[in-house]
DNA sequence: ATGTTAAGGTTGTATCATGCAACCGATGAT
DNA sequence: ATCATCGGTTGCATGATACAACCTTAACAT
């Protein structure tokens, strides 16, 4: 795999079957089960190691990133999107507000909600944090072939999408 | 993607390049960075959802699993292996001891250490937990092609090995 | 219009995983 | 012998999270 061919790579893959998961080897899930458990601890360690110079933990990061993309929204919408308990979202928001990363504005349509909006410096900060994290992973994986990096990102994404979808269907 | 073709799937992909990691596209790490952040939250949610009937959280699971494989060891060795602070390992061990999953025995060679050993029922319990987790993932990923499942396990493992190695080199 | 139900948020309380620092007793090296 | 080191425990702190009780405001039904 990953032969250093000079000019290009041609990959042909064929899968036969119904297309729907036939019975899949159990060993496949042995690995997934174990590696996910380990991965979690690993990633936790990374978190504590303080990935970026800027102090911005995972949850805050995801929260701000969402506000950046989806404009001012209320806590409920935020919590739904991030699949967090409202109380958790509320506290996290409060923390970010006290740090000056988030502002509240009354919703003219509904006096119950207070819309959340990121403050001016935040987008630049997010960019920096993102850069720093990417650099971290780029260093960590600097000996991996590009294809594996790409595939890892892709499969994690796919996993996340699958899990989100399932959780919504139930929750 | 994943079209329900009747007889099979033929996929052709071509990539040009040297094959060896030149400067790797930055986008690759965009995805990794983001998806890992999300993955962590996802997996956290899974934890809280109570994966298995048996109450055994991730840390306890990894700890017991290690003791199962590596026989009686002291807290320090355990902490080193799991890359945990000794205090954390100490507390987790205490918790497991109080639940009767772990016993201590004095080390004849060194009165400071107390060797940890899993109790009789534990292996069966671990097997059951493992089965239950695997089932969970198998259900979650039941629409994935087997190849993707396999690859996900493989890459997570590779990631974990890489991260472990790096951390040891420094820590 | 008015009273009941629902929805958006906040706050108290609890749990879990984790680390650092202070400490204790046993070891070992000089 | 003594003093640094090592294994381990415990106090304190933090962060992420949930559930439940509560408050305020909105929506709806009669």
């Amino acid at each position: 795999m990953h032969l250093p061919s000079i000019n290009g790579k041609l990959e042909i893959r064929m899968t036969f079957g119904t297309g729907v998961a036939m019975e899949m080897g159990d060993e496949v899930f042995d690995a997934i089960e174990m590696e996910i458990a380990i991965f979690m601890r690993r990633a936790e360690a990374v978190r504590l190691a303080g990935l970026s110079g800027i102090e911005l933990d995972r949850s805050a990061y995801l929260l701000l990133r969402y506000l950046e993309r989806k404009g001012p929204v209320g806590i409920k919408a935020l919590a739904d999107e991030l699949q967090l308990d409202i109380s958790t979202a509320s506290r996290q928001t409060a923390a970010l507000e006290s740090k000056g990363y988030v502002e509240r504005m009354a919703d003219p349509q509904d006096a119950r909600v207070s819309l959340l909006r990121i403050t001016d410096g935040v987008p630049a900060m997010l960019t920096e944090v993102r850069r720093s994290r990417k650099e971290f992973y780029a260093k960590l994986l600097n000996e991996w072939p590009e294809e594996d990096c790409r595939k890892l990102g892709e499969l994690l994404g796919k996993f996340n999408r699958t899990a989100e979808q399932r959780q919504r269907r139930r929750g």
Side-chain angles (χ1 to χ4, degrees), chain A residues 61-79:
Chain A
Y61 176 58
L62 291 173
L63 199 158
L64 291 176
R65 213 175 55 95
Y66 177 69
L67 286 182
E68 181 185 38
R69 282 184 302 131
K70 297 299 177 67
V73 292
I75 301 260
K76 179 63 177 359
L78 191 63

Side-chain angles (χ1 to χ4, degrees), chain A residues 3-4 12 35 37 41 56 61-62 97 99 116 119 123 136 145 170-171:
Chain A
L3 302 174
I12 300 187
E35 299 303 350
R41 281 249 28 260
L56 196 57
Y61 176 58
L62 291 173
E97 193 186 6
K99 282 181 191 159
L116 307 172
T119 54
F136 174 87
R170 315 182 177 271

Side-chain angles (χ1 to χ4, degrees), chain A residues 122-140:
Chain A
V122 172
M125 181 176 72
L126 286 177
T127 302
E128 170 55 20
V129 170
R130 204 171 289 129
R131 193 200 58 69
S132 152
R133 298 195 177 204
K134 276 161 53 180
E135 184 183 296
F136 174 87
Y137 288 117
K139 260 184 200 153
L140 179 66

Side-chain angles (χ1 to χ4, degrees), chain A residues 18-85:
Chain A
T18 61
V20 202
M22 315 208 1
E23 92 263 19
M24 213 177 292
D26 208 41
E27 335 65 70
V28 172
F29 297 109
D30 275 338
I32 287 185
E33 181 274 313
M34 181 168 102
E35 299 303 350
I36 284 184
I38 296 174
F39 185 83
M40 296 280 301
R41 281 249 28 260
R42 260 288 58 74
E44 193 68 10
V46 163
R47 175 174 79 76
L48 294 162
L51 243 184
S52 68
I54 299 168
E55 192 44 63
L56 196 57
D57 46 59
R58 186 177 80 244
S59 36
Y61 176 58
L62 291 173
L63 199 158
L64 291 176
R65 213 175 55 95
Y66 177 69
L67 286 182
E68 181 185 38
R69 282 184 302 131
K70 297 299 177 67
V73 292
I75 301 260
K76 179 63 177 359
L78 191 63
D80 282 354
E81 178 63 23
L82 302 181
Q83 294 180 211
L84 281 173
D85 191 88

Side-chain angles (χ1 to χ4, degrees), chain A residues 80-83 163-171:
Chain A
D80 282 354
E81 178 63 23
L82 302 181
Q83 294 180 211
E164 274 156 27
Q165 197 185 319
R166 292 301 176 92
Q167 186 162 325
R168 292 201 193 289
R169 213 175 286 162
R170 315 182 177 271

Side-chain angles (χ1 to χ4, degrees), chain A residues 84-169:
Chain A
L84 281 173
D85 191 88
I86 294 191
S87 68
T88 303
S90 173
R91 279 180 230 277
Q92 279 179 6
T93 303
L96 290 174
E97 193 186 6
S98 81
K99 282 181 191 159
Y101 297 156
V102 161
E103 283 171 348
R104 288 164 194 266
M105 33 186 283
D107 182 338
Q109 264 73 54
D110 187 336
R112 288 173 302 181
V113 331
S114 52
L115 295 173
L116 307 172
R117 189 175 40 184
I118 57 178
T119 54
D120 284 353
V122 172
M125 181 176 72
L126 286 177
T127 302
E128 170 55 20
V129 170
R130 204 171 289 129
R131 193 200 58 69
S132 152
R133 298 195 177 204
K134 276 161 53 180
E135 184 183 296
F136 174 87
Y137 288 117
K139 260 184 200 153
L140 179 66
L141 306 181
N142 70 346
E143 293 184 6
W144 283 36
E146 166 154 11
E147 174 59 14
D148 281 0
C149 292
R150 204 192 53 65
K151 197 76 188 175
L152 177 62
E154 180 192 318
L155 289 176
L156 284 175
K158 186 170 177 179
F159 182 95
N160 290 335
R161 300 303 91 71
T162 300
E164 274 156 27
Q165 197 185 319
R166 292 301 176 92
Q167 186 162 325
R168 292 201 193 289
R169 213 175 286 162

